[in-house]
Amino acid sequence: MRPGSVALALINDTDMQACEVYETSIAYAVFGDPQPDLADPWYDLRLCSVTQPSADGVQGFSVRTRHGLDNLVTADTVIVPSVPDGVVSRGERLPPEFIDALRAAAAAGARIASLCTGAFALAEAGLLDGRRATAHWMHTADLAKRYPRVEVDDSVLYIDEGRVLTSAGMSAGLDLCLHLVRRDLGAHVANQLARRMVVSGHRPGGQAQFVDLSVPTTDDDSLGPVMDWAARHLDQPLTVDVLARRAGMSTRTFFRRLHAATGMTPLKWLLNQRLARAQTLLETTDLPIEQIGEHSGLGTAANLRRHFTLHVGVSPTDYRQAFGTVPARRARV
């Protein structure tokens, strides 16, 4: 499957603070560095801006782009990494030509995404009206107040509304970028890319933006090891009691700590792990659906189909046809 073109929409108006370097960098790292052994061709990345910046970049940085806003209209995916601080903190206006370009790109069928405060640009363009959206939790109150037609959720890492996606700040922006790769090229490619970047392969969008530090922790920090163990034994009957005993905690303490760390109940976390395992097996093996259900811990083929269709959006067979990479060879499971 061809991943298509990605346009990073930057606002470099010299009257405003330059775009946030971090969000732009993570998007560039995901989409701009070719990975021919994972997918060839890779994404065609373009940096597009309103104007060329002055020589004095913010904190010593400046961004010079080859492309203008007209390239947004022809892109398959448009990402707004952030907006200048003055737009969020002082209510400064975004350049009208920038908003018009976002609307034109959406009308042309582009997938539109924002990282962190980039959601303010999408909201100004009316692309979030009637939709769920998120941003960094420090800015979601301002987003909701300024754009009452947007259903703002400050508790999640990112939100996928199909053609429009938004994320919280910092590392959540990387989660969203990897989520887009997962949608376009499958779980195996996204996981391998994440491994190269030394980050988690898949943090679901519904995971909490931050950990509740009021939840007591243990000295040996046994939550991480038990989660790793569970991910390696998904084909076994795992319950909350089993995981709690392995972690050396009471069931209640384990439930609270896992929920604080992931924003999910233990059973929801297990389901996500099993679905991710099923995705990998569908992509990298020719195992029958029945065996994939067994190896992933989802049970019968009917149960696998039900959960997969509900949470991934397509049937296991359709997913394999779209992302399968080794149809003639069985991989070790």
Side-chain angles (χ1 to χ4, degrees):
M1 180 179 295
R2 184 176 178 84
S5 58
V6 175
L8 295 188
L10 310 179
I11 303 173
N12 293 323
D13 192 312
T14 55
D15 292 332
M16 296 182 175
Q17 178 178 326
C19 63
E20 290 292 335
V21 174
Y22 182 81
E23 280 79 11
T24 302
S25 298
I26 61 176
Y28 192 92
V30 171
F31 302 108
D33 189 8
Q35 308 286 339
D37 58 322
L38 296 182
D40 191 15
W42 193 247
Y43 293 89
D44 175 19
L45 181 68
R46 310 167 190 170
L47 271 66
C48 310
S49 64
V50 177
T51 62
Q52 292 296 335
S54 65
D56 300 327
V58 59
Q59 298 178 349
F61 288 96
S62 62
V63 179
R64 297 188 181 277
T65 66
R66 296 180 179 179
H67 304 288
L69 296 179
D70 54 328
N71 280 267
L72 301 189
V73 182
T74 59
D76 298 300
T77 301
V78 174
I79 300 175
V80 183
S82 63
V83 297
D85 179 68
V87 173
V88 179
S89 61
R90 298 185 297 275
E92 294 177 1
R93 303 293 296 178
L94 287 158
E97 61 270 32
F98 186 82
I99 299 303
D100 290 342
L102 290 179
R103 290 171 178 157
R111 179 174 59 183
I112 312 291
S114 65
L115 312 183
C116 195
T117 58
F120 283 78
L122 271 59
E124 182 67 22
L127 303 181
L128 300 181
D129 288 353
R131 299 179 184 269
R132 288 179 64 234
T134 194
H136 192 292
W137 60 269
M138 292 180 64
H139 305 302
T140 47
D142 289 333
L143 181 66
K145 181 178 180 180
R146 197 174 305 175
Y147 303 101
R149 299 183 65 181
V150 180
E151 183 182 343
V152 178
D153 187 344
D154 64 357
S155 67
V156 296
L157 294 178
Y158 58 86
I159 294 175
D160 184 343
E161 288 276 293
R163 303 301 300 179
V164 180
L165 304 91
T166 55
S167 81
M170 305 302 284
S171 60
L174 178 55
D175 292 319
L176 177 58
C177 290
L178 289 171
H179 172 73
L180 290 173
V181 174
R182 180 177 293 264
R183 272 183 49 174
D184 295 339
L185 299 173
H188 179 69
V189 171
N191 290 341
Q192 291 301 307
L193 178 60
R195 185 179 181 184
R196 293 178 183 183
M197 300 179 74
V198 198
V199 296
S200 173
H202 183 211
R203 289 203 300 172
Q207 185 167 321
Q209 283 197 28
F210 54 89
V211 176
D212 182 1
L213 297 179
S214 66
V215 178
T217 61
T218 60
D219 291 337
D220 62 354
D221 193 21
S222 56
L223 187 61
V226 75
M227 293 170 73
D228 291 338
W229 178 86
R232 296 193 303 270
H233 296 83
L234 294 172
D235 58 332
Q236 300 180 13
L238 302 177
T239 65
V240 179
D241 289 339
V242 167
L243 297 178
R245 283 197 300 269
R246 189 167 186 89
M249 305 176 192
S250 69
T251 300
R252 182 177 180 181
T253 298
F254 179 78
F255 186 100
R256 292 173 60 199
R257 288 197 57 202
L258 186 66
H259 189 274
T262 68
M264 292 178 283
T265 66
L267 292 180
K268 176 65 174 176
W269 179 83
L270 274 173
L271 176 61
N272 282 334
Q273 296 300 308
R274 285 174 164 147
L275 287 169
R277 176 65 168 157
Q279 285 180 300
T280 298
L281 292 175
L282 287 166
E283 294 177 31
T284 61
T285 78
D286 64 345
L287 289 172
I289 300 299
E290 292 78 8
Q291 292 186 34
I292 289 180
E294 295 172 3
H295 288 303
S296 64
L298 289 170
T300 65
N303 198 49
L304 168 63
R305 292 188 183 97
R306 180 172 64 86
H307 282 296
F308 207 88
T309 303
L310 177 63
H311 296 283
V312 182
V314 296
S315 70
T317 300
D318 289 343
Y319 186 88
R320 169 172 272 167
Q321 290 177 348
F323 298 116
T325 58
V326 280
R329 183 175 75 249
R330 294 181 187 271
R332 181 180 299 175
V333 297

